[in-house]
Amino acid sequence: MWRWRVCPVAVSRGYMPFCTTQEPHQANPSRTSQATHRPVTPLTLCSLLEMGFSETQAEEMHEGAMKSRGKHVPSVLTALLILGLNPSSILKIMQKCPEVYSLKGADLQQRINHLRKMGLVEGSLQRMISHYPKVMVLPIKRVNMVSRLLREKCLFTVQQVTDILRESPEVLEEDLAQLEYKFQYAYFRMGVRQAEMVKTKLFGLSLSELRCRHCFLERRGLYQTPDKKGQTLIANPPLKDVLCVSEETYLTQVAIATVEEFHVFHKLMAREQEEEGREDEYSSDEDEELGEDKYNDDDDGQHRRKHLWNTGYKKDRK
């Protein structure tokens, strides 16, 4: 025997029904109360209107759900509404990341709870999901891997890791080796410490953009790598003036250069990086053929160490 009942969803206008669910009719009331309610009717325009979507929004949401063939869209929408997102924000999330249609409500809720445990409180969590909805489809294991790298390899505090994830959630998809390289470049080559990296949202920039802006200043004699005591012969510009400004402001107030000069330099840097990539690939292939460690040969080792210092990252190989 099955009985039907209406599932309420809390929205700004109060409790409104959006879907029909069925649950087994059992003699034991305690087991009945623990039953998992699952939508068994497809998402309809009527149910979307009852959730608070406008007619236009409901039609677009319904069309997206049909294209994705998601079987758990009602439960996903429920989780997002309970999180405090309004229908307009939810529609934008679905437009940015259609993969959310294919999620299960329980999986989505599990990922939301995990982000909360990482320190992303209300307000920050909603902004993060709205700005970067892909965080909802990334496996929890991936989030933990990035968090562990930032804490253990880059020595950020737990709070600093939370700040990085909140301000630059794109790091969750970045290649781990490249992410560590970016940190090492800023730390050793530019002399920037963790607190300043977080404050200036360094991880929101690509590695190529970071290197280009820094090296352009360096080759113009306007930036110098600090020594072991953190001292330089010139006054380096603050990191916020290098990274947190528009290209126009950077060129006119920091680099004191023209747009043409910077763009030519950008092309030269891209060519240098391409050549470095080919050299690394060639060296790797050559070492495999010879069966030798590239760091054991004196001449090649000196050249290699110099090359790594020029790129800002002396990578440990274990």
Side-chain angles (χ1 to χ4, degrees):
M1 295 289 294
W2 297 86
R3 65 182 180 184
W4 298 86
R5 79 173 190 173
V6 173
C7 293
V9 176
V11 293
S12 59
R13 293 183 295 177
Y15 288 97
M16 295 189 299
F18 80 94
C19 68
T20 337
T21 64
Q22 64 175 358
E23 58 182 12
H25 181 67
Q26 301 174 350
N28 188 339
S30 62
R31 292 184 63 186
T32 302
S33 63
Q34 296 174 2
T36 302
H37 306 295
R38 297 182 181 179
V40 295
T41 55
L43 192 71
T44 65
L45 291 173
C46 180
S47 64
L48 287 167
L49 291 173
E50 290 176 339
M51 286 187 222
F53 291 93
S54 67
E55 290 186 7
T56 303
Q57 291 172 337
E59 289 175 359
E60 189 169 348
M61 181 69 72
H62 187 266
E63 182 181 355
M66 293 301 101
K67 285 182 179 179
S68 67
R69 299 181 180 180
K71 298 179 181 179
H72 305 276
V73 178
S75 62
V76 169
L77 297 180
T78 301
L80 294 176
L81 285 168
I82 292 175
L83 185 61
L85 296 168
N86 59 44
S88 179
S89 298
I90 293 174
L91 181 59
K92 290 179 181 177
I93 286 171
M94 297 302 198
Q95 291 170 339
K96 288 182 181 179
C97 186
E99 295 93 328
V100 178
Y101 281 117
S102 302
L103 284 176
K104 292 182 179 179
D107 293 340
L108 174 58
Q109 191 60 54
Q110 185 182 21
R111 286 165 182 161
I112 289 173
N113 292 340
H114 183 69
L115 292 173
R116 282 197 178 105
K117 290 179 181 178
M118 296 185 70
L120 289 157
V121 297
E122 303 308 317
S124 297
L125 182 59
Q126 286 82 349
R127 286 194 299 272
M128 178 184 186
I129 290 176
S130 297
H131 171 66
Y132 191 71
K134 267 195 170 183
V135 70
M136 293 186 290
V137 299
L138 291 175
I140 290 177
K141 182 179 179 181
R142 174 66 186 184
V143 178
N144 289 338
M145 287 172 62
V146 174
S147 175
R148 191 179 305 115
L149 182 144
L150 292 172
R151 285 186 286 106
E152 297 177 1
K153 295 289 186 69
C154 307
L155 302 182
F156 287 100
T157 66
V158 173
Q159 182 57 51
Q160 287 173 337
V161 172
T162 300
D163 293 340
I164 291 172
L165 296 182
R166 183 183 64 245
E167 300 297 337
S168 308
E170 298 86 355
V171 299
L172 293 172
E173 281 195 294
E174 194 166 346
D175 178 78
L176 296 182
Q178 285 292 309
L179 181 58
E180 185 181 359
Y181 184 106
K182 187 189 298 184
F183 165 78
Q184 296 281 3
Y185 185 92
Y187 190 89
F188 291 111
R189 183 74 180 274
M190 299 178 67
V192 181
R193 294 301 178 257
Q194 286 88 340
E196 193 174 3
M197 292 183 198
V198 175
K199 186 177 180 180
T200 55
K201 303 177 184 178
L202 179 142
F203 291 98
L205 276 75
S206 66
L207 177 61
S208 61
E209 186 177 1
L210 173 65
R211 289 184 62 182
C212 193
R213 287 202 175 193
H214 164 250
C215 289
F216 189 60
L217 293 177
E218 188 178 54
R219 297 186 189 185
R220 292 178 68 84
L222 300 175
Y223 202 105
Q224 189 176 69
T225 300
D227 59 20
K228 293 181 179 180
K229 297 181 179 180
Q231 298 177 341
T232 58
L233 298 177
I234 62 173
N236 287 335
L239 190 63
K240 64 181 181 63
D241 293 342
V242 179
L243 305 181
C244 302
V245 296
S246 65
E247 182 179 295
E248 181 182 359
T249 302
Y250 165 78
L251 291 174
T252 57
Q253 299 184 15
V254 184
I256 318 298
T258 64
V259 175
E260 291 76 14
E261 289 175 321
F262 185 63
H263 287 178
V264 169
F265 179 79
H266 197 285
K267 292 179 181 179
L268 292 174
M269 279 290 295
R271 188 180 302 172
E272 284 183 14
Q273 292 176 28
E274 184 179 348
E275 291 175 353
E276 288 172 2
R278 286 200 298 265
E279 287 178 5
D280 290 343
E281 184 178 356
Y282 174 78
S283 298
S284 178
D285 293 341
E286 186 180 53
D287 290 339
E288 287 180 4
E289 291 176 2
L290 297 176
E292 297 177 352
D293 187 341
K294 67 180 69 178
Y295 297 104
N296 288 339
D297 184 87
D298 292 339
D299 296 334
D300 290 344
Q302 290 176 2
H303 173 75
R304 179 63 179 176
R305 283 190 291 271
K306 181 180 179 182
H307 169 68
L308 287 170
W309 174 247
N310 287 338
T311 58
Y313 181 28
K314 185 174 181 180
K315 214 168 191 178
D316 293 329
R317 295 193 177 239
K318 297 181 179 179

